[in-house]
Short mmCIF file of all heavy atoms in Angstrom, two decimals:
data_model
loop_
_atom_site.label_atom_id
_atom_site.label_comp_id
_atom_site.label_asym_id
_atom_site.label_seq_id
_atom_site.Cartn_x
_atom_site.Cartn_y
_atom_site.Cartn_z
N GLY A 285 -28.25 -14.43 -3.82
CA GLY A 285 -28.61 -15.15 -2.62
C GLY A 285 -28.22 -14.47 -1.33
O GLY A 285 -28.54 -14.94 -0.26
N ALA A 286 -27.49 -13.33 -1.42
CA ALA A 286 -27.04 -12.65 -0.21
C ALA A 286 -27.74 -11.30 -0.02
O ALA A 286 -27.30 -10.50 0.76
CB ALA A 286 -25.52 -12.43 -0.24
N ASP A 287 -28.84 -11.09 -0.76
CA ASP A 287 -29.54 -9.82 -0.64
C ASP A 287 -30.39 -9.82 0.63
O ASP A 287 -30.73 -10.84 1.17
CB ASP A 287 -30.41 -9.59 -1.85
CG ASP A 287 -31.43 -10.69 -2.03
OD1 ASP A 287 -31.05 -11.87 -1.88
OD2 ASP A 287 -32.61 -10.39 -2.28
N ILE A 288 -30.73 -8.60 1.06
CA ILE A 288 -31.59 -8.44 2.24
C ILE A 288 -32.99 -8.24 1.71
O ILE A 288 -33.31 -7.27 1.04
CB ILE A 288 -31.16 -7.23 3.07
CG1 ILE A 288 -29.72 -7.42 3.55
CG2 ILE A 288 -32.09 -7.03 4.25
CD1 ILE A 288 -29.18 -6.26 4.34
N SER A 289 -33.87 -9.18 2.01
CA SER A 289 -35.24 -9.08 1.58
C SER A 289 -36.13 -9.72 2.63
O SER A 289 -35.69 -10.30 3.62
CB SER A 289 -35.45 -9.78 0.21
OG SER A 289 -35.12 -11.16 0.33
N ALA A 290 -37.47 -9.60 2.41
CA ALA A 290 -38.43 -10.10 3.41
C ALA A 290 -38.25 -11.60 3.67
O ALA A 290 -38.44 -12.06 4.78
CB ALA A 290 -39.85 -9.82 2.93
N ARG A 291 -37.87 -12.38 2.60
CA ARG A 291 -37.77 -13.82 2.81
C ARG A 291 -36.58 -14.22 3.71
O ARG A 291 -36.52 -15.33 4.19
CB ARG A 291 -37.62 -14.54 1.47
CG ARG A 291 -36.32 -14.25 0.73
CD ARG A 291 -36.25 -15.02 -0.57
NE ARG A 291 -35.05 -14.72 -1.32
CZ ARG A 291 -34.89 -13.68 -2.10
NH1 ARG A 291 -35.88 -12.84 -2.26
NH2 ARG A 291 -33.77 -13.48 -2.76
N ASN A 292 -35.65 -13.27 3.91
CA ASN A 292 -34.49 -13.54 4.75
C ASN A 292 -34.73 -13.12 6.20
O ASN A 292 -33.85 -13.29 7.02
CB ASN A 292 -33.25 -12.82 4.23
CG ASN A 292 -32.78 -13.40 2.92
OD1 ASN A 292 -32.92 -14.59 2.68
ND2 ASN A 292 -32.24 -12.55 2.06
N HIS A 293 -35.87 -12.49 6.49
CA HIS A 293 -36.14 -11.98 7.84
C HIS A 293 -36.99 -12.98 8.62
O HIS A 293 -38.06 -13.32 8.18
CB HIS A 293 -36.90 -10.64 7.76
CG HIS A 293 -36.10 -9.55 7.12
ND1 HIS A 293 -36.62 -8.33 6.90
CD2 HIS A 293 -34.84 -9.54 6.64
CE1 HIS A 293 -35.70 -7.56 6.32
NE2 HIS A 293 -34.63 -8.29 6.15
N ARG A 294 -36.45 -13.44 9.72
CA ARG A 294 -37.24 -14.37 10.52
C ARG A 294 -38.36 -13.66 11.27
O ARG A 294 -39.39 -14.25 11.52
CB ARG A 294 -36.30 -15.07 11.53
CG ARG A 294 -35.35 -16.04 10.87
CD ARG A 294 -34.56 -16.81 11.87
NE ARG A 294 -33.78 -15.95 12.75
CZ ARG A 294 -32.88 -16.41 13.60
NH1 ARG A 294 -32.67 -17.69 13.71
NH2 ARG A 294 -32.20 -15.58 14.37
N HIS A 295 -38.18 -12.46 11.65
CA HIS A 295 -39.22 -11.67 12.30
C HIS A 295 -38.93 -10.20 12.08
O HIS A 295 -37.80 -9.76 12.25
CB HIS A 295 -39.27 -11.99 13.81
CG HIS A 295 -40.57 -11.50 14.42
ND1 HIS A 295 -40.83 -10.19 14.68
CD2 HIS A 295 -41.68 -12.22 14.82
CE1 HIS A 295 -42.04 -10.10 15.24
NE2 HIS A 295 -42.57 -11.31 15.33
N PRO A 296 -39.91 -9.41 11.70
CA PRO A 296 -39.63 -8.01 11.33
C PRO A 296 -39.27 -7.13 12.51
O PRO A 296 -38.81 -6.03 12.29
CB PRO A 296 -40.91 -7.54 10.68
CG PRO A 296 -41.97 -8.42 11.24
CD PRO A 296 -41.32 -9.76 11.47
N PHE A 297 -39.46 -7.58 13.74
CA PHE A 297 -39.25 -6.66 14.88
C PHE A 297 -38.11 -7.14 15.78
O PHE A 297 -38.05 -6.79 16.94
CB PHE A 297 -40.54 -6.52 15.67
CG PHE A 297 -41.65 -5.98 14.86
CD1 PHE A 297 -42.74 -6.78 14.52
CD2 PHE A 297 -41.63 -4.68 14.36
CE1 PHE A 297 -43.77 -6.30 13.75
CE2 PHE A 297 -42.64 -4.21 13.57
CZ PHE A 297 -43.71 -5.00 13.27
N LEU A 298 -37.21 -7.94 15.22
CA LEU A 298 -36.04 -8.37 15.98
C LEU A 298 -34.85 -7.51 15.67
O LEU A 298 -34.81 -6.86 14.63
CB LEU A 298 -35.70 -9.83 15.65
CG LEU A 298 -36.75 -10.88 16.01
CD1 LEU A 298 -36.26 -12.25 15.56
CD2 LEU A 298 -37.01 -10.91 17.52
N LEU A 299 -33.90 -7.49 16.57
CA LEU A 299 -32.62 -6.83 16.27
C LEU A 299 -31.85 -7.76 15.36
O LEU A 299 -31.32 -8.76 15.77
CB LEU A 299 -31.84 -6.55 17.56
CG LEU A 299 -30.47 -5.91 17.42
CD1 LEU A 299 -30.61 -4.55 16.77
CD2 LEU A 299 -29.80 -5.79 18.78
N LEU A 300 -31.79 -7.44 14.06
CA LEU A 300 -31.24 -8.37 13.08
C LEU A 300 -29.73 -8.25 12.98
O LEU A 300 -29.23 -7.16 12.64
CB LEU A 300 -31.89 -8.10 11.71
CG LEU A 300 -33.40 -8.19 11.68
CD1 LEU A 300 -33.89 -7.86 10.29
CD2 LEU A 300 -33.88 -9.57 12.10
N PRO A 301 -29.00 -9.33 13.21
CA PRO A 301 -27.57 -9.28 12.97
C PRO A 301 -27.28 -9.49 11.50
O PRO A 301 -28.21 -9.70 10.72
CB PRO A 301 -27.04 -10.49 13.79
CG PRO A 301 -28.20 -11.41 13.86
CD PRO A 301 -29.45 -10.59 13.79
N PRO A 302 -26.03 -9.42 11.06
CA PRO A 302 -25.73 -9.50 9.63
C PRO A 302 -26.11 -10.85 9.03
O PRO A 302 -26.15 -11.87 9.67
CB PRO A 302 -24.20 -9.31 9.57
CG PRO A 302 -23.85 -8.65 10.86
CD PRO A 302 -24.84 -9.17 11.84
N LEU A 303 -26.37 -10.79 7.70
CA LEU A 303 -26.58 -12.04 6.97
C LEU A 303 -25.24 -12.72 6.81
O LEU A 303 -24.18 -12.10 6.81
CB LEU A 303 -27.13 -11.73 5.59
CG LEU A 303 -28.46 -11.00 5.51
CD1 LEU A 303 -28.78 -10.67 4.05
CD2 LEU A 303 -29.56 -11.82 6.12
N HIS A 304 -25.27 -14.05 6.62
CA HIS A 304 -24.04 -14.74 6.27
C HIS A 304 -24.38 -15.98 5.51
O HIS A 304 -25.52 -16.43 5.47
CB HIS A 304 -23.23 -15.08 7.54
CG HIS A 304 -23.84 -16.18 8.38
ND1 HIS A 304 -23.64 -17.50 8.13
CD2 HIS A 304 -24.68 -16.13 9.45
CE1 HIS A 304 -24.28 -18.25 8.99
NE2 HIS A 304 -24.92 -17.41 9.82
N ARG A 321 -22.04 -2.72 8.23
CA ARG A 321 -23.22 -1.83 8.12
C ARG A 321 -24.20 -2.14 7.00
O ARG A 321 -25.37 -2.31 7.26
CB ARG A 321 -22.73 -0.38 8.01
CG ARG A 321 -21.96 0.09 9.22
CD ARG A 321 -22.79 1.03 10.05
NE ARG A 321 -22.12 1.40 11.25
CZ ARG A 321 -22.01 2.64 11.70
NH1 ARG A 321 -22.50 3.61 11.01
NH2 ARG A 321 -21.43 2.88 12.84
N PRO A 322 -23.77 -2.22 5.70
CA PRO A 322 -24.77 -2.33 4.66
C PRO A 322 -25.59 -3.60 4.73
O PRO A 322 -26.68 -3.66 4.25
CB PRO A 322 -23.95 -2.29 3.36
CG PRO A 322 -22.69 -1.62 3.76
CD PRO A 322 -22.44 -2.05 5.15
N SER A 323 -25.05 -4.68 5.30
CA SER A 323 -25.78 -5.93 5.37
C SER A 323 -26.48 -6.08 6.71
O SER A 323 -26.85 -7.17 7.11
CB SER A 323 -24.82 -7.11 5.14
OG SER A 323 -24.25 -7.04 3.86
N THR A 324 -26.61 -4.99 7.47
CA THR A 324 -27.19 -5.06 8.78
C THR A 324 -28.32 -4.03 8.90
O THR A 324 -28.14 -2.89 8.54
CB THR A 324 -26.13 -4.75 9.86
OG1 THR A 324 -25.01 -5.60 9.67
CG2 THR A 324 -26.71 -4.99 11.26
N ILE A 325 -29.48 -4.48 9.41
CA ILE A 325 -30.57 -3.54 9.67
C ILE A 325 -30.86 -3.62 11.18
O ILE A 325 -31.15 -4.69 11.70
CB ILE A 325 -31.84 -3.94 8.91
CG1 ILE A 325 -31.55 -3.97 7.41
CG2 ILE A 325 -32.96 -2.97 9.21
CD1 ILE A 325 -32.73 -4.38 6.59
N HIS A 326 -30.71 -2.50 11.84
CA HIS A 326 -30.94 -2.47 13.28
C HIS A 326 -32.37 -1.94 13.52
O HIS A 326 -32.65 -0.75 13.33
CB HIS A 326 -29.93 -1.53 13.96
CG HIS A 326 -28.52 -2.05 13.86
ND1 HIS A 326 -28.02 -3.02 14.69
CD2 HIS A 326 -27.53 -1.77 13.00
CE1 HIS A 326 -26.77 -3.31 14.37
NE2 HIS A 326 -26.46 -2.54 13.34
N VAL A 327 -33.25 -2.81 13.96
CA VAL A 327 -34.63 -2.46 14.23
C VAL A 327 -34.95 -2.95 15.64
O VAL A 327 -34.97 -4.15 15.88
CB VAL A 327 -35.62 -3.09 13.23
CG1 VAL A 327 -37.03 -2.60 13.50
CG2 VAL A 327 -35.23 -2.71 11.82
N ARG A 331 -42.64 -4.20 21.21
CA ARG A 331 -43.82 -5.05 21.04
C ARG A 331 -45.06 -4.45 21.70
O ARG A 331 -46.18 -4.78 21.36
CB ARG A 331 -43.57 -6.43 21.58
CG ARG A 331 -42.47 -7.20 20.82
CD ARG A 331 -42.31 -8.60 21.36
NE ARG A 331 -41.23 -9.31 20.66
CZ ARG A 331 -41.37 -9.92 19.48
NH1 ARG A 331 -42.56 -9.90 18.91
NH2 ARG A 331 -40.36 -10.52 18.92
N MET A 339 -45.64 -0.54 12.85
CA MET A 339 -45.36 -0.66 11.43
C MET A 339 -44.77 0.63 10.89
O MET A 339 -43.85 0.63 10.04
CB MET A 339 -46.67 -0.97 10.67
CG MET A 339 -47.20 -2.37 10.96
SD MET A 339 -45.98 -3.67 10.65
CE MET A 339 -45.73 -3.46 8.89
N TYR A 342 -41.08 0.80 12.14
CA TYR A 342 -40.29 -0.17 11.43
C TYR A 342 -39.96 0.32 10.02
O TYR A 342 -38.80 0.27 9.58
CB TYR A 342 -41.05 -1.53 11.38
CG TYR A 342 -40.38 -2.53 10.46
CD1 TYR A 342 -39.15 -3.09 10.77
CD2 TYR A 342 -41.01 -2.92 9.28
CE1 TYR A 342 -38.57 -4.02 9.97
CE2 TYR A 342 -40.42 -3.85 8.44
CZ TYR A 342 -39.21 -4.39 8.78
OH TYR A 342 -38.61 -5.31 7.96
N ARG A 343 -41.00 0.80 9.31
CA ARG A 343 -40.80 1.27 7.97
C ARG A 343 -39.88 2.47 7.95
O ARG A 343 -39.00 2.60 7.10
CB ARG A 343 -42.16 1.66 7.34
CG ARG A 343 -42.07 2.01 5.86
CD ARG A 343 -43.39 2.48 5.30
NE ARG A 343 -44.47 1.52 5.53
CZ ARG A 343 -45.48 1.75 6.39
NH1 ARG A 343 -45.54 2.90 7.04
NH2 ARG A 343 -46.39 0.84 6.55
N ASN A 345 -37.51 3.30 10.13
CA ASN A 345 -36.14 2.91 10.49
C ASN A 345 -35.39 2.32 9.30
O ASN A 345 -34.22 2.58 9.04
CB ASN A 345 -36.14 1.91 11.65
CG ASN A 345 -36.43 2.56 12.96
OD1 ASN A 345 -36.41 3.79 13.08
ND2 ASN A 345 -36.72 1.77 13.98
N VAL A 346 -36.12 1.47 8.55
CA VAL A 346 -35.49 0.85 7.39
C VAL A 346 -35.18 1.91 6.35
O VAL A 346 -34.08 1.94 5.77
CB VAL A 346 -36.42 -0.23 6.80
CG1 VAL A 346 -35.83 -0.74 5.46
CG2 VAL A 346 -36.58 -1.37 7.77
N ARG A 347 -36.11 2.79 6.09
CA ARG A 347 -35.89 3.84 5.07
C ARG A 347 -34.77 4.80 5.52
O ARG A 347 -33.99 5.29 4.72
CB ARG A 347 -37.18 4.64 4.85
CG ARG A 347 -38.30 3.82 4.22
CD ARG A 347 -39.53 4.67 3.96
NE ARG A 347 -39.24 5.72 2.98
CZ ARG A 347 -40.01 6.80 2.83
NH1 ARG A 347 -41.06 6.98 3.62
NH2 ARG A 347 -39.70 7.69 1.92
N THR A 349 -32.20 4.00 7.44
CA THR A 349 -30.94 3.27 7.28
C THR A 349 -30.41 3.41 5.87
O THR A 349 -29.20 3.56 5.65
CB THR A 349 -31.13 1.78 7.61
OG1 THR A 349 -31.54 1.65 8.97
CG2 THR A 349 -29.84 0.99 7.42
N TYR A 350 -31.27 3.41 4.89
CA TYR A 350 -30.85 3.48 3.49
C TYR A 350 -30.89 4.90 2.91
O TYR A 350 -30.74 5.09 1.72
CB TYR A 350 -31.68 2.52 2.63
CG TYR A 350 -31.30 1.09 2.86
CD1 TYR A 350 -31.94 0.31 3.81
CD2 TYR A 350 -30.24 0.54 2.14
CE1 TYR A 350 -31.55 -0.99 4.07
CE2 TYR A 350 -29.84 -0.77 2.36
CZ TYR A 350 -30.50 -1.52 3.31
OH TYR A 350 -30.10 -2.82 3.55
N GLU A 480 -29.35 -19.11 -2.59
CA GLU A 480 -30.31 -18.33 -1.80
C GLU A 480 -30.77 -19.12 -0.59
O GLU A 480 -31.02 -18.58 0.47
CB GLU A 480 -31.50 -17.90 -2.65
CG GLU A 480 -31.15 -16.89 -3.72
CD GLU A 480 -32.38 -16.42 -4.47
OE1 GLU A 480 -33.48 -16.82 -4.09
OE2 GLU A 480 -32.20 -15.66 -5.44
N VAL A 483 -28.47 -18.88 2.58
CA VAL A 483 -28.36 -17.65 3.35
C VAL A 483 -29.35 -17.68 4.49
O VAL A 483 -30.53 -17.92 4.31
CB VAL A 483 -28.64 -16.42 2.46
CG1 VAL A 483 -28.52 -15.15 3.27
CG2 VAL A 483 -27.66 -16.42 1.30
N LYS A 484 -28.86 -17.45 5.70
CA LYS A 484 -29.78 -17.43 6.87
C LYS A 484 -29.33 -16.33 7.82
O LYS A 484 -28.27 -15.73 7.65
CB LYS A 484 -29.76 -18.78 7.56
CG LYS A 484 -28.44 -19.09 8.28
CD LYS A 484 -28.56 -20.38 9.05
CE LYS A 484 -27.32 -20.60 9.91
NZ LYS A 484 -27.40 -21.83 10.72
N MET A 485 -30.10 -16.10 8.83
CA MET A 485 -29.76 -15.08 9.81
C MET A 485 -29.06 -15.72 10.97
O MET A 485 -29.41 -16.79 11.43
CB MET A 485 -31.04 -14.40 10.31
CG MET A 485 -31.92 -13.87 9.22
SD MET A 485 -31.04 -12.77 8.11
CE MET A 485 -30.51 -11.55 9.28
N GLU A 486 -28.02 -15.04 11.48
CA GLU A 486 -27.34 -15.52 12.67
C GLU A 486 -28.21 -15.33 13.89
O GLU A 486 -28.86 -14.31 14.03
CB GLU A 486 -26.03 -14.74 12.85
CG GLU A 486 -24.81 -15.56 12.53
CD GLU A 486 -23.55 -14.76 12.81
OE1 GLU A 486 -23.69 -13.60 13.20
OE2 GLU A 486 -22.46 -15.31 12.63
N GLY A 487 -28.23 -16.28 14.75
CA GLY A 487 -29.05 -16.18 15.96
C GLY A 487 -28.40 -15.39 17.04
O GLY A 487 -27.27 -15.02 16.98
#
Side-chain angles (χ1 to χ4, degrees):
D287 59 316
I288 301 177
S289 61
R291 67 179 178 277
N292 292 327
H293 296 177
R294 290 186 300 189
H295 196 286
F297 301 111
L298 297 178
L299 177 62
L300 303 178
L303 300 176
H304 71 85
R321 297 253 175 133
S323 298
T324 307
I325 303 177
H326 295 279
V327 183
R331 296 184 181 277
M339 292 305 297
Y342 171 67
R343 187 184 306 111
N345 285 347
V346 173
R347 295 182 65 198
T349 298
Y350 286 91
E480 292 184 5
V483 180
K484 71 175 187 178
M485 307 306 301
E486 252 183 359

